PDB file of all heavy atoms in Angstrom:
ATOM      1  N   SER C   3     -10.710  -3.975 -10.708  1.00 87.00           N
ATOM      2  CA  SER C   3     -10.872  -3.943  -9.271  1.00 87.00           C
ATOM      3  C   SER C   3     -10.138  -5.059  -8.475  1.00 87.00           C
ATOM      4  O   SER C   3     -10.319  -5.250  -7.242  1.00 87.00           O
ATOM      5  CB  SER C   3     -12.363  -3.997  -8.888  1.00 87.00           C
ATOM      6  OG  SER C   3     -12.898  -5.129  -9.370  1.00 87.00           O
ATOM      7  N   ILE C   4      -9.338  -5.877  -9.166  1.00 89.00           N
ATOM      8  CA  ILE C   4      -8.760  -7.041  -8.566  1.00 89.00           C
ATOM      9  C   ILE C   4      -7.311  -6.885  -8.219  1.00 89.00           C
ATOM     10  O   ILE C   4      -6.666  -7.805  -7.644  1.00 89.00           O
ATOM     11  CB  ILE C   4      -8.922  -8.367  -9.406  1.00 89.00           C
ATOM     12  CG1 ILE C   4      -8.163  -8.124 -10.723  1.00 89.00           C
ATOM     13  CG2 ILE C   4     -10.438  -8.701  -9.745  1.00 89.00           C
ATOM     14  CD1 ILE C   4      -8.179  -9.392 -11.536  1.00 89.00           C
ATOM     15  N   PHE C   5      -6.693  -5.708  -8.528  1.00 91.00           N
ATOM     16  CA  PHE C   5      -5.328  -5.458  -8.321  1.00 91.00           C
ATOM     17  C   PHE C   5      -4.895  -5.832  -6.888  1.00 91.00           C
ATOM     18  O   PHE C   5      -3.898  -6.444  -6.675  1.00 91.00           O
ATOM     19  CB  PHE C   5      -4.973  -3.962  -8.620  1.00 91.00           C
ATOM     20  CG  PHE C   5      -3.462  -3.733  -8.471  1.00 91.00           C
ATOM     21  CD1 PHE C   5      -2.627  -3.903  -9.579  1.00 91.00           C
ATOM     22  CD2 PHE C   5      -3.078  -3.200  -7.284  1.00 91.00           C
ATOM     23  CE1 PHE C   5      -1.335  -3.723  -9.370  1.00 91.00           C
ATOM     24  CE2 PHE C   5      -1.667  -2.925  -7.161  1.00 91.00           C
ATOM     25  CZ  PHE C   5      -0.790  -3.192  -8.187  1.00 91.00           C
ATOM     26  N   SER C   6      -5.586  -5.373  -5.846  1.00 88.00           N
ATOM     27  CA  SER C   6      -5.169  -5.571  -4.462  1.00 88.00           C
ATOM     28  C   SER C   6      -5.063  -6.995  -4.001  1.00 88.00           C
ATOM     29  O   SER C   6      -4.362  -7.354  -3.126  1.00 88.00           O
ATOM     30  CB  SER C   6      -6.160  -4.824  -3.615  1.00 88.00           C
ATOM     31  OG  SER C   6      -7.511  -5.321  -3.671  1.00 88.00           O
ATOM     32  N   ILE C   7      -5.713  -7.872  -4.792  1.00 89.00           N
ATOM     33  CA  ILE C   7      -5.738  -9.297  -4.311  1.00 89.00           C
ATOM     34  C   ILE C   7      -4.839 -10.093  -5.221  1.00 89.00           C
ATOM     35  O   ILE C   7      -4.776 -11.347  -5.069  1.00 89.00           O
ATOM     36  CB  ILE C   7      -7.160  -9.840  -4.295  1.00 89.00           C
ATOM     37  CG1 ILE C   7      -7.796  -9.954  -5.716  1.00 89.00           C
ATOM     38  CG2 ILE C   7      -8.068  -9.158  -3.304  1.00 89.00           C
ATOM     39  CD1 ILE C   7      -9.071 -10.779  -5.756  1.00 89.00           C
ATOM     40  N   ALA C   8      -4.345  -9.541  -6.183  1.00 94.00           N
ATOM     41  CA  ALA C   8      -3.509 -10.225  -7.228  1.00 94.00           C
ATOM     42  C   ALA C   8      -2.074 -10.287  -6.888  1.00 94.00           C
ATOM     43  O   ALA C   8      -1.462  -9.378  -6.212  1.00 94.00           O
ATOM     44  CB  ALA C   8      -3.695  -9.565  -8.580  1.00 94.00           C
ATOM     45  N   THR C   9      -1.424 -11.368  -7.321  1.00 97.00           N
ATOM     46  CA  THR C   9       0.002 -11.392  -7.354  1.00 97.00           C
ATOM     47  C   THR C   9       0.509 -10.641  -8.585  1.00 97.00           C
ATOM     48  O   THR C   9       0.061 -10.878  -9.650  1.00 97.00           O
ATOM     49  CB  THR C   9       0.490 -12.802  -7.355  1.00 97.00           C
ATOM     50  OG1 THR C   9       0.236 -13.357  -6.036  1.00 97.00           O
ATOM     51  CG2 THR C   9       2.063 -12.899  -7.470  1.00 97.00           C
ATOM     52  N   MET C  10       1.452  -9.681  -8.507  1.00 97.00           N
ATOM     53  CA  MET C  10       2.006  -9.069  -9.614  1.00 97.00           C
ATOM     54  C   MET C  10       3.519  -9.416  -9.834  1.00 97.00           C
ATOM     55  O   MET C  10       4.173  -9.790  -8.851  1.00 97.00           O
ATOM     56  CB  MET C  10       2.031  -7.466  -9.343  1.00 97.00           C
ATOM     57  CG  MET C  10       0.718  -6.910  -9.034  1.00 97.00           C
ATOM     58  SD  MET C  10      -0.510  -7.262 -10.403  1.00 97.00           S
ATOM     59  CE  MET C  10       0.364  -6.240 -11.709  1.00 97.00           C
ATOM     60  N   ALA C  11       3.829  -9.500 -11.038  1.00 98.00           N
ATOM     61  CA  ALA C  11       5.223  -9.899 -11.285  1.00 98.00           C
ATOM     62  C   ALA C  11       5.790  -9.108 -12.638  1.00 98.00           C
ATOM     63  O   ALA C  11       4.893  -8.622 -13.363  1.00 98.00           O
ATOM     64  CB  ALA C  11       5.184 -11.406 -11.688  1.00 98.00           C
ATOM     65  N   TRP C  12       7.010  -9.139 -12.676  1.00 98.00           N
ATOM     66  CA  TRP C  12       7.692  -8.662 -13.882  1.00 98.00           C
ATOM     67  C   TRP C  12       8.523  -9.760 -14.518  1.00 98.00           C
ATOM     68  O   TRP C  12       9.154 -10.496 -13.828  1.00 98.00           O
ATOM     69  CB  TRP C  12       8.629  -7.477 -13.494  1.00 98.00           C
ATOM     70  CG  TRP C  12       8.041  -6.234 -13.218  1.00 98.00           C
ATOM     71  CD1 TRP C  12       7.700  -5.696 -11.951  1.00 98.00           C
ATOM     72  CD2 TRP C  12       7.640  -5.143 -14.163  1.00 98.00           C
ATOM     73  NE1 TRP C  12       7.048  -4.564 -12.088  1.00 98.00           N
ATOM     74  CE2 TRP C  12       7.043  -4.131 -13.420  1.00 98.00           C
ATOM     75  CE3 TRP C  12       7.621  -5.065 -15.441  1.00 98.00           C
ATOM     76  CZ2 TRP C  12       6.476  -3.027 -14.011  1.00 98.00           C
ATOM     77  CZ3 TRP C  12       7.070  -3.885 -16.081  1.00 98.00           C
ATOM     78  CH2 TRP C  12       6.475  -2.937 -15.336  1.00 98.00           C
ATOM     79  N   TYR C  13       8.318  -9.909 -15.850  1.00 98.00           N
ATOM     80  CA  TYR C  13       9.136 -10.856 -16.570  1.00 98.00           C
ATOM     81  C   TYR C  13       9.947 -10.119 -17.629  1.00 98.00           C
ATOM     82  O   TYR C  13       9.725  -8.981 -17.868  1.00 98.00           O
ATOM     83  CB  TYR C  13       8.146 -11.749 -17.383  1.00 98.00           C
ATOM     84  CG  TYR C  13       7.571 -12.807 -16.515  1.00 98.00           C
ATOM     85  CD1 TYR C  13       6.511 -12.536 -15.580  1.00 98.00           C
ATOM     86  CD2 TYR C  13       7.901 -14.268 -16.613  1.00 98.00           C
ATOM     87  CE1 TYR C  13       5.892 -13.585 -14.831  1.00 98.00           C
ATOM     88  CE2 TYR C  13       7.277 -15.198 -15.856  1.00 98.00           C
ATOM     89  CZ  TYR C  13       6.331 -14.920 -14.984  1.00 98.00           C
ATOM     90  OH  TYR C  13       5.768 -15.908 -14.243  1.00 98.00           O
ATOM     91  N   ARG C  14      10.884 -10.740 -18.249  1.00 98.00           N
ATOM     92  CA  ARG C  14      11.584 -10.194 -19.338  1.00 98.00           C
ATOM     93  C   ARG C  14      11.967 -11.187 -20.316  1.00 98.00           C
ATOM     94  O   ARG C  14      11.960 -12.419 -20.068  1.00 98.00           O
ATOM     95  CB  ARG C  14      12.855  -9.454 -18.928  1.00 98.00           C
ATOM     96  CG  ARG C  14      13.933 -10.359 -18.353  1.00 98.00           C
ATOM     97  CD  ARG C  14      15.131  -9.587 -17.734  1.00 98.00           C
ATOM     98  NE  ARG C  14      16.125 -10.413 -17.194  1.00 98.00           N
ATOM     99  CZ  ARG C  14      17.266 -10.017 -16.690  1.00 98.00           C
ATOM    100  NH1 ARG C  14      17.372  -8.698 -16.346  1.00 98.00           N
ATOM    101  NH2 ARG C  14      18.093 -10.776 -16.202  1.00 98.00           N
ATOM    102  N   GLN C  15      12.049 -10.703 -21.718  1.00 98.00           N
ATOM    103  CA  GLN C  15      12.479 -11.603 -22.725  1.00 98.00           C
ATOM    104  C   GLN C  15      13.396 -10.868 -23.654  1.00 98.00           C
ATOM    105  O   GLN C  15      13.070  -9.868 -24.227  1.00 98.00           O
ATOM    106  CB  GLN C  15      11.110 -12.011 -23.549  1.00 98.00           C
ATOM    107  CG  GLN C  15      11.408 -13.005 -24.516  1.00 98.00           C
ATOM    108  CD  GLN C  15      10.149 -13.709 -25.070  1.00 98.00           C
ATOM    109  OE1 GLN C  15       9.041 -13.052 -24.962  1.00 98.00           O
ATOM    110  NE2 GLN C  15      10.218 -14.822 -25.715  1.00 98.00           N
ATOM    111  N   ALA C  16      14.617 -11.556 -23.666  1.00 97.00           N
ATOM    112  CA  ALA C  16      15.700 -10.986 -24.558  1.00 97.00           C
ATOM    113  C   ALA C  16      15.537 -11.685 -25.875  1.00 97.00           C
ATOM    114  O   ALA C  16      14.948 -12.726 -25.999  1.00 97.00           O
ATOM    115  CB  ALA C  16      17.017 -11.293 -23.881  1.00 97.00           C
ATOM    116  N   PRO C  17      16.114 -11.101 -26.952  1.00 92.00           N
ATOM    117  CA  PRO C  17      15.931 -11.642 -28.237  1.00 92.00           C
ATOM    118  C   PRO C  17      16.578 -13.156 -28.272  1.00 92.00           C
ATOM    119  O   PRO C  17      17.677 -13.373 -27.767  1.00 92.00           O
ATOM    120  CB  PRO C  17      16.802 -10.772 -29.193  1.00 92.00           C
ATOM    121  CG  PRO C  17      16.716  -9.388 -28.459  1.00 92.00           C
ATOM    122  CD  PRO C  17      16.731  -9.729 -26.898  1.00 92.00           C
ATOM    123  N   GLY C  18      15.773 -14.007 -28.822  1.00 94.00           N
ATOM    124  CA  GLY C  18      16.246 -15.426 -28.853  1.00 94.00           C
ATOM    125  C   GLY C  18      16.118 -16.179 -27.641  1.00 94.00           C
ATOM    126  O   GLY C  18      16.674 -17.332 -27.634  1.00 94.00           O
ATOM    127  N   LYS C  19      15.657 -15.635 -26.716  1.00 96.00           N
ATOM    128  CA  LYS C  19      15.637 -16.305 -25.316  1.00 96.00           C
ATOM    129  C   LYS C  19      14.136 -16.473 -24.851  1.00 96.00           C
ATOM    130  O   LYS C  19      13.227 -15.688 -25.318  1.00 96.00           O
ATOM    131  CB  LYS C  19      16.461 -15.453 -24.299  1.00 96.00           C
ATOM    132  CG  LYS C  19      17.962 -15.492 -24.537  1.00 96.00           C
ATOM    133  CD  LYS C  19      18.594 -14.889 -23.348  1.00 96.00           C
ATOM    134  CE  LYS C  19      20.101 -15.028 -23.711  1.00 96.00           C
ATOM    135  NZ  LYS C  19      21.010 -14.444 -22.460  1.00 96.00           N
ATOM    136  N   GLN C  20      13.921 -17.395 -23.969  1.00 97.00           N
ATOM    137  CA  GLN C  20      12.636 -17.536 -23.312  1.00 97.00           C
ATOM    138  C   GLN C  20      12.303 -16.407 -22.386  1.00 97.00           C
ATOM    139  O   GLN C  20      13.206 -15.782 -21.789  1.00 97.00           O
ATOM    140  CB  GLN C  20      12.484 -18.846 -22.626  1.00 97.00           C
ATOM    141  CG  GLN C  20      12.550 -20.095 -23.615  1.00 97.00           C
ATOM    142  CD  GLN C  20      12.258 -21.404 -22.813  1.00 97.00           C
ATOM    143  OE1 GLN C  20      12.549 -21.494 -21.710  1.00 97.00           O
ATOM    144  NE2 GLN C  20      11.614 -22.255 -23.568  1.00 97.00           N
ATOM    145  N   ARG C  21      10.995 -16.073 -22.131  1.00 97.00           N
ATOM    146  CA  ARG C  21      10.600 -15.168 -21.144  1.00 97.00           C
ATOM    147  C   ARG C  21      10.939 -15.743 -19.836  1.00 97.00           C
ATOM    148  O   ARG C  21      10.700 -16.953 -19.505  1.00 97.00           O
ATOM    149  CB  ARG C  21       9.088 -14.879 -21.286  1.00 97.00           C
ATOM    150  CG  ARG C  21       8.596 -13.866 -20.526  1.00 97.00           C
ATOM    151  CD  ARG C  21       7.118 -13.406 -20.829  1.00 97.00           C
ATOM    152  NE  ARG C  21       6.997 -13.102 -22.217  1.00 97.00           N
ATOM    153  CZ  ARG C  21       5.915 -12.480 -22.627  1.00 97.00           C
ATOM    154  NH1 ARG C  21       4.752 -12.368 -21.751  1.00 97.00           N
ATOM    155  NH2 ARG C  21       5.738 -12.180 -23.917  1.00 97.00           N
ATOM    156  N   GLU C  22      11.548 -14.857 -18.956  1.00 97.00           N
ATOM    157  CA  GLU C  22      11.867 -15.319 -17.602  1.00 97.00           C
ATOM    158  C   GLU C  22      11.320 -14.454 -16.482  1.00 97.00           C
ATOM    159  O   GLU C  22      11.115 -13.211 -16.771  1.00 97.00           O
ATOM    160  CB  GLU C  22      13.367 -15.404 -17.408  1.00 97.00           C
ATOM    161  CG  GLU C  22      14.143 -14.021 -17.657  1.00 97.00           C
ATOM    162  CD  GLU C  22      15.567 -14.080 -17.360  1.00 97.00           C
ATOM    163  OE1 GLU C  22      16.102 -15.114 -16.900  1.00 97.00           O
ATOM    164  OE2 GLU C  22      16.304 -13.034 -17.694  1.00 97.00           O
ATOM    165  N   SER C  23      11.039 -14.991 -15.466  1.00 97.00           N
ATOM    166  CA  SER C  23      10.506 -14.186 -14.354  1.00 97.00           C
ATOM    167  C   SER C  23      11.677 -13.416 -13.623  1.00 97.00           C
ATOM    168  O   SER C  23      12.770 -14.022 -13.451  1.00 97.00           O
ATOM    169  CB  SER C  23       9.900 -15.227 -13.224  1.00 97.00           C
ATOM    170  OG  SER C  23       9.513 -14.382 -12.115  1.00 97.00           O
ATOM    171  N   VAL C  24      11.366 -12.175 -13.384  1.00 98.00           N
ATOM    172  CA  VAL C  24      12.386 -11.211 -12.772  1.00 98.00           C
ATOM    173  C   VAL C  24      12.131 -11.043 -11.336  1.00 98.00           C
ATOM    174  O   VAL C  24      12.971 -11.120 -10.516  1.00 98.00           O
ATOM    175  CB  VAL C  24      12.426  -9.939 -13.517  1.00 98.00           C
ATOM    176  CG1 VAL C  24      13.297  -8.969 -12.836  1.00 98.00           C
ATOM    177  CG2 VAL C  24      12.876 -10.145 -14.940  1.00 98.00           C
ATOM    178  N   ALA C  25      10.873 -10.691 -11.072  1.00 98.00           N
ATOM    179  CA  ALA C  25      10.481 -10.363  -9.646  1.00 98.00           C
ATOM    180  C   ALA C  25       9.013 -10.514  -9.498  1.00 98.00           C
ATOM    181  O   ALA C  25       8.179 -10.255 -10.514  1.00 98.00           O
ATOM    182  CB  ALA C  25      10.902  -8.856  -9.306  1.00 98.00           C
ATOM    183  N   THR C  26       8.594 -10.857  -8.242  1.00 98.00           N
ATOM    184  CA  THR C  26       7.204 -11.073  -7.949  1.00 98.00           C
ATOM    185  C   THR C  26       6.827 -10.468  -6.619  1.00 98.00           C
ATOM    186  O   THR C  26       7.724 -10.494  -5.748  1.00 98.00           O
ATOM    187  CB  THR C  26       6.896 -12.634  -7.838  1.00 98.00           C
ATOM    188  OG1 THR C  26       7.246 -13.232  -9.125  1.00 98.00           O
ATOM    189  CG2 THR C  26       5.343 -12.789  -7.595  1.00 98.00           C
ATOM    190  N   VAL C  27       5.699  -9.886  -6.547  1.00 98.00           N
ATOM    191  CA  VAL C  27       5.162  -9.364  -5.250  1.00 98.00           C
ATOM    192  C   VAL C  27       3.770  -9.890  -4.994  1.00 98.00           C
ATOM    193  O   VAL C  27       2.854  -9.678  -5.892  1.00 98.00           O
ATOM    194  CB  VAL C  27       5.230  -7.859  -5.146  1.00 98.00           C
ATOM    195  CG1 VAL C  27       4.525  -7.145  -6.228  1.00 98.00           C
ATOM    196  CG2 VAL C  27       4.843  -7.388  -3.807  1.00 98.00           C
TER     197      VAL C  27
END
């Protein structure tokens, strides 16, 4: 029930690389 108050984000991780932030809302 907390979705509406949460910040949502997409991250990605390519092989051999660190996870990185892609987009945030």
Side-chain angles (χ1 to χ4, degrees):
S3 59
I4 63 172
F5 180 86
S6 64
I7 64 170
T9 292
M10 300 299 299
W12 287 96
Y13 283 71
R14 67 185 180 187
Q15 188 167 19
K19 294 188 177 181
Q20 289 189 329
R21 191 173 296 189
E22 62 174 352
S23 175
V24 173
T26 303
V27 59

